[in-house]
Structure formats: C-alpha cells, structure tokens
Amino acid sequence: MNGLMMQKQLLISSLIVHADRHHGDTEIVSRRVEGDIHRYTFRDCHRRSRQMAGALTALGVRPSDRIGTLAWNGYRHMELYYGVSGMGAVLHTINPRLHEDQVAYIANHAEDQYIFFDLTFLPLIKAVASRCKTVKAFIAMTDRAHMPQDAGIDLLCYEDLIEGSSPDYAWPDLDEQCASTLCYTSGTTGNPKGVLYSHRSSLLHTYAAALPDALNCSGRDVILPVVPMFHVNAWGLPYIACMVGAKLVFPGPALDGKSLYELLEAEQVTLSAGVPTVWQVLLTHLEQTGQEFSSMARTIIGGAACPPAMLRQFQDKYGVAVLHAWGMTELSPIGTVCSMKPKHWEMSYKDRLTIQSKQGRVLFGVDMKIVGTDGRELPWDGVTTGDLLVRGPWVVREYFRSEGGNPLQLDEQAQGWFPTGDVATIDGDGFMQITDRSKDVIKSGGEWIGSIDLENIAMAHPDVFQAACIAARHDKWDERPLLIVVRKPQTDLTRDELLAFYEGKIARWWKPDDVIFVDAIPLGATGKILKNRLREQFGEYLRERAVVQCAPLAKRSD
Ligand code: AMP
C-alpha cells in the first residue's frame, strides 16, 4: 500500500521561492569585480533569477543544456545558480584556477552551450574561446558601461539580458531526478571527471547540511562562504542560506587577509567557511595587525585537514568555534562534520581538542565504513586504518559520460559503495579521522606513517606558515617522510630546531628524515597542497643526499 501524501518534487527553484516569500528582505551583499559593494535582497535575487531564466529560454536554452560559469562568489553567480537549474538546464561551474587546457577540455566534455564569466576571467575566455566547440556565446557578467572593448570575440552583456527579460517567468515543475548542476573534480591525475548532481540530491544535501549537528545554520546567521561557488557549490551554502533565511555575504575576488577581514567585520558575519590555506592567510593578517573579530562565532574548515594549531588559534585567541568538516566533489560535498556529542563537553578542553581534530561523524543519509586491502570491513576502534567507503543519496553513482569507468565497482565486498581514496580510522562513536589520501601514504619499512599527523605537528610550530610531508624514496626503508616547509615572514627557523620540535610528540621512527625550506608550496585549483608535484620535485631528495654524503668516503677509498 502506498502512502497518501502529496508527491511534491524537491526542486532547487523551491529554495529561492521560499527565501523570497519568507525572508524576502534578507540581504545578499557582494564585493563586486567592478570594485564596489553591491547589496540587495532575496526578493531581488528571485526576480532577477526568473529574468535570467526567461532570457536563457529566449536564447534557445533547453532543459538539460549545460551552461558554464567562470565566476567568483557574487550575486550574479547566485542568480545563475537559481536561474539555470530552476529552468531545468544544468549549471556547470568551471574552476577558473584550472589550466586553460583543462578549462577547454571540460567545457567541451560538458558540451556547454553558453559560458558566463566575471571580467577577471576575460583573458582566460580569450585563450579558450576558439577551442570551445559547442559554446554559442560568452556572456560577460557585468553591465553595459563595463563591457570590455575590443575583446576580439563576440560577447553578450549580462545586464542587457536581465533588462530585456520579464520577471513573469514561472518555474517549471521538473522531475526531481533531473540534473541540476555539474562540477568537475580537480583532476590531479588524469582528466577531470564530471559529477552531475540532481535537484533531489542537492535538496537532500541542503536539508542535512543545515541541521544543528551539521553546519548549524539558521536565519540568525550571516554567512560568508570563502569556499568558492565554482567548487562544489560553495559547500552548499548558497542553497542552505535560502532554506534557513540567512543573510549571505560574497567576497568576490578579494580573498586576501585584509579584504576578508574588512568584509567579515563590516557585515557582522557570524559564520564562514573555507579551506585551511585561506584561513592561514587571514590568521597571519590578524597576527600582524593585532585585529580581532567582533561578530564571527563559528567557522567551518574543510577541504584539507584542519591543523590542531589552527583550531586552537581560532578558538583560544579569537573566540571563534571551529567546525571541522570532510567531503568531496563526489559527495555534494559534505560527508562528515565534527560536531561534539554531549559526553564530549564533559571532557577536558585538551581531550576535546583531540576529538575536534577528527573529521567527524556522518550527516544522516551518508553511510560509511573502512575496509582492508581484502575489502573486508575493519573495526571502529579509532586505531585501525583502512580505505574509506561511502554511500548515500548525495554520493556519486557514475561520472558524467562514464568518464573513468564505474567508480562503484571496486570489488565484490564493496559493491554499491564509493571508494573515496582516503585512508581513515573510525572510533566507537563513529568519529572518522583521515590519516592520509591513499596515494599520499608514506610506507616506511612496510609500516604506514600518517603524513597529516606530521604536518599538524609542524604547523603547531610558531614559525611555520605552511607544511607538507611527502614520501621520499629511501634505499633502506623504501620511503621516509620528508618535510617541506614555508617559514613565516621574518623568522629564521632551522632544520634542527624543527626536527627537535617533534621529540616526544610521536614515535621516533615517524620523525621526518629531513626538512626543506621553500618560498612557496604549490597549491591546486581548490587550495589543496599538490603533493604529487612535491614528490616529483623532492621524491629523490633523500637518495641524492645519501650519494652526496657518501662521495667524500668514496674518494678516500680511491
Ligand atoms: P575535492 O573533491 O576537491 O573537494 O577533494 C576531496 C578530498 O579532499 C577528500 O577526498 C580528502 O582527501 C580531502 N579532504 C576534504 N576535507 C578534508 C578534511 N577535513 N581533512 C582531510 N582531508 C580532507
């Protein structure tokens, strides 16, 4: 017997309809590429999203057509989030930090019909335009007064499209299983792969992510997503804000410490979200200026492991509670959030910090387990490490156009589960902790060494700005940990001082074999450290060092 409840489809357009009707005067504030601050309301955003949907229909865009964006976090991007998905087309957010060859590759792979871009990315558009075979026009996200002159390619103007279109457009009643959004993985190995979200998966993710034990968002919040709208929908925050009626603040292209701090303060932001590398820049700015936050209460840190030293700095020095979260493009993106259970509040602060450093427990809807190399499930004891597998209604089933084969067919034991490529422990309370990316694991004499643990210790040193630990090849042990470090400005930390800092904190054989100081560590398009690049550069360092050290001896024996 079926239930007798209404079959109402879960649609992205319903979020902006709700925000307009119930939080119509709540603000969306954006730092524009043009340089100024723009502010309007959810009601305005809804009106202009409908106008954009009407304009796209007039341009011939049909349901399921892919529409690309190369854009910062801003109100026009938000309008495309709703206008494009709401009309039944697929919003394809392209990461502008990718190499131009990859941008051209994914625009062609997605068969984008139109590409919207912020003016910052005009040079990129010029570089790829002739290679984007399916694109009918490029649309500059600006007004007529700021349209580029002599661009050398035909451009449409965003504001002209809006002005020429009526707000009478009515959202279609789509099937919730329809594709809404397309986001490609960053593709550090092989071609980027497309993850195609549906209206249903996006709405379920939004419900779950907003809950108190997840991101804990409400209409009382002012949310500034530093995490880009071109990378997994800014962790869902543009949808969550509409669901709960939170004010949104978009930083545009200005992601330096000073600009971010000014906006956080000016708009009295209560909740922000970003990767550790961005926060490191902001914290360094605060250290240098002695400034403090007057409104920020919480920050979500994810995308890479949050070093405990950063956690402490936010909480102890600035009174900002850290929520550590883990996810992937393939998970829409949130899988776990490290939200305390009541019993954790009875622990000492020091013990609670140990829990907070974990990536946390799953949102309802996500199921996870760790397995050994034979595919068998491993115990949740907080110590045993294994490959992390997940499944759930907002987890990828198959990549767009079957790129890279079926990700779910790992082996018989793991069928129907998505292999994340992360290595993790899970404790008895279901708190998961990533120890490594499986391809970054250091295997010394057959034993695993967790690179994240070693990086976290380095990051706790007051003179360290950034640290990455890689597996360097070693004649005796196969691999040994090698630390690559960027010092903070005006510090002269030495190798021996940093290695001494490890004493008593880990087993002695885990201590890195050496430290290399560099000016900068290469970051990928989503702000993650590119360890494959570091391995290419320094992977042979320990063996080469051994040869150099042996050289005088060899001479003597001559
Ligand atoms: P992406 O799809 O680009 O968002 O990358 C997903 C990957 O980022 C995951 O598989 C993890 O390896 C890593 N990641 C995300 N969040 C965390 C976290 N909190 N701690 C450690 N690694 C993380």
Side-chain angles (χ1 to χ4, degrees):
M1 191 196 300
N2 286 341
L4 294 174
M5 309 309 283
M6 290 185 189
Q7 274 292 348
K8 183 101 177 65
Q9 302 298 303
L10 299 173
L11 299 180
I12 285 180
S13 56
S14 67
L15 290 169
I16 192 73
V17 168
H18 172 83
D20 176 348
R21 198 168 286 160
H22 301 282
H23 309 281
D25 56 0
T26 298
E27 276 187 309
I28 300 175
V29 180
S30 310
R31 194 191 286 278
R32 282 206 274 211
V33 172
E34 292 92 333
D36 57 344
I37 297 284
H38 172 274
R39 51 181 80 235
Y40 73 171
T41 64
F42 276 130
R43 185 155 299 137
D44 300 322
C45 178
H46 186 204
R47 188 187 66 251
R48 284 169 50 96
S49 303
R50 293 195 311 274
Q51 285 173 283
M52 183 46 72
L56 288 172
T57 307
L59 282 174
V61 173
R62 311 251 63 87
S64 301
D65 281 351
R66 271 77 66 199
I67 306 296
T69 61
L70 278 162
W72 299 108
N73 292 7
Y75 68 103
R76 292 187 181 116
H77 209 174
M78 178 89 169
E79 290 158 11
L80 293 169
Y81 262 52
Y82 288 99
V84 174
S85 302
M87 69 175 290
V90 178
L91 182 82
H92 172 205
T93 51
I94 308 176
N95 187 334
R97 295 192 184 123
L98 291 174
H99 187 271
E100 61 182 54
D101 291 345
Q102 282 187 320
V103 171
Y105 167 83
I106 63 174
N108 284 321
H109 190 267
E111 297 178 334
D112 288 334
Q113 302 290 300
Y114 290 90
I115 293 184
F116 287 81
F117 68 97
D118 269 332
L119 292 178
T120 325
F121 304 119
L122 181 62
L124 179 55
I125 292 290
K126 283 186 186 173
V128 298
S130 63
R131 287 186 268 165
C132 296
K133 302 294 176 213
T134 55
V135 175
K136 295 179 183 144
F138 295 90
I139 302 165
M141 293 164 70
T142 190
D143 56 20
R144 180 80 3 227
H146 292 87
M147 278 301 280
Q149 304 301 315
D150 309 323
I153 38 175
D154 286 341
L155 297 177
L156 299 178
C157 169
Y158 187 97
E159 291 300 330
D160 283 358
L161 290 183
I162 294 270
E163 268 167 43
S165 177
S166 152
D168 293 339
Y169 180 90
W171 299 118
D173 202 9
L174 306 166
D175 178 341
E176 64 185 17
Q177 302 284 0
C178 286
S180 60
T181 324
L182 177 62
C183 185
Y184 280 71
T185 60
S186 6
T188 42
T189 49
N191 280 329
K193 296 193 276 284
V195 182
L196 189 62
Y197 311 110
S198 68
H199 286 259
R200 175 186 156 82
S201 70
S202 304
L203 265 275
L204 291 177
H205 178 267
T206 307
Y207 273 118
L211 284 171
D213 274 351
L215 304 187
N216 187 17
C217 297
S218 86
R220 294 178 295 281
D221 277 314
V222 179
I223 304 177
L224 186 150
V226 180
V227 49
M229 291 167 82
F230 56 71
H231 182 55
V232 228
N233 309 320
W235 298 350
L237 290 167
Y239 301 135
I240 292 172
C242 281
M243 183 175 274
V244 303
K247 171 176 164 179
L248 267 175
V249 182
F250 288 130
L255 301 176
D256 60 287
K258 180 172 180 290
S259 308
L260 271 183
Y261 177 77
E262 281 170 8
L263 199 58
L264 289 165
E265 283 301 298
E267 298 304 326
Q268 290 290 285
V269 170
T270 61
L271 172 65
S272 191
V275 293
T277 40
V278 166
W279 294 134
Q280 192 62 20
V281 171
L282 179 69
L283 289 172
T284 305
H285 170 78
L286 294 186
E287 255 176 52
Q288 285 168 348
T289 57
Q291 288 164 315
E292 291 186 1
F293 297 114
S294 65
S295 60
M296 189 139 102
R298 288 169 295 135
T299 186
I300 307 157
I301 303 187
C306 171
M310 177 175 285
L311 212 153
R312 292 201 62 160
Q313 207 177 349
F314 264 117
Q315 297 192 159
D316 301 354
K317 197 159 175 199
Y318 298 108
V320 176
V322 169
L323 256 187
H324 193 191
W326 167 86
M328 304 181 75
T329 308
E330 288 89 337
L331 268 91
S332 305
I334 303 174
T336 64
V337 175
C338 197
S339 192
M340 298 292 99
K341 289 188 165 184
K343 67 178 176 189
H344 296 132
W345 290 106
E346 287 159 19
M347 290 177 162
S348 69
Y349 181 54
K350 190 164 163 274
D351 289 343
R352 205 161 61 239
L353 281 174
T354 311
I355 306 287
Q356 272 196 291
S357 305
K358 300 189 179 202
Q359 278 69 13
R361 52 194 168 113
V362 290
L363 307 191
F364 169 76
V366 175
D367 203 4
M368 72 178 171
K369 65 177 178 179
I370 45 172
V371 298
T373 42
D374 57 1
R376 278 180 207 287
E377 186 162 2
L378 295 171
W380 290 22
D381 56 12
V383 184
T384 311
T385 52
D387 291 318
L388 181 67
L389 308 184
V390 291
R391 63 182 179 189
W394 56 83
V395 177
V396 71
R397 187 184 69 222
E398 186 182 331
Y399 289 109
F400 186 48
R401 300 179 58 194
S402 302
E403 194 62 50
N406 181 351
L408 301 193
Q409 282 170 1
L410 186 70
D411 61 36
E412 227 169 83
Q413 307 257 7
Q415 260 176 26
W417 291 76
F418 173 73
T420 63
D422 288 325
V423 178
T425 62
I426 305 177
D427 69 18
D429 291 316
F431 281 59
M432 182 273 287
Q433 182 158 30
I434 305 265
T435 54
D436 244 314
R437 217 39 220 152
S438 57
K439 53 184 189 297
D440 294 336
V441 158
I442 304 165
K443 229 169 174 194
S444 173
E447 300 284 343
W448 283 13
I449 296 178
S451 68
I452 294 179
D453 278 339
L454 298 183
E455 288 159 6
N456 283 345
I457 294 173
M459 289 299 290
H461 193 286
D463 292 351
V464 171
F465 176 74
Q466 222 166 40
C469 194
I470 59 160
R473 275 174 287 283
H474 193 280
D475 286 331
K476 182 168 177 196
W477 302 110
D478 288 338
E479 289 176 354
R480 288 294 301 156
L482 176 66
L483 199 60
I484 320 289
V485 170
V486 181
R487 295 186 191 96
K488 284 196 184 155
Q490 280 101 45
T491 58
D492 50 11
L493 178 68
T494 65
R495 162 197 186 274
D496 292 344
E497 282 165 351
L498 188 50
L499 291 180
F501 192 65
Y502 280 86
E503 292 299 336
K505 296 190 174 83
I506 38 157
R508 290 193 66 188
W509 63 277
W510 272 47
K511 198 161 93 173
D513 273 27
D514 212 338
V515 182
I516 299 177
F517 291 101
V518 293
D519 292 338
I521 285 178
L523 299 180
T526 55
K528 292 189 220 299
I529 291 174
L530 289 177
K531 289 204 182 171
N532 53 346
R533 200 76 84 64
L534 290 174
R535 278 194 296 269
E536 277 163 30
Q537 202 177 345
F538 300 114
E540 293 296 331
Y541 177 83
L542 296 177
R543 287 160 88 176
E544 284 162 6
R545 189 190 66 172
V547 171
V548 172
Q549 280 170 354
C550 286
L553 283 179
K555 260 194 184 152
R556 237 178 286 157
S557 66
D558 280 346

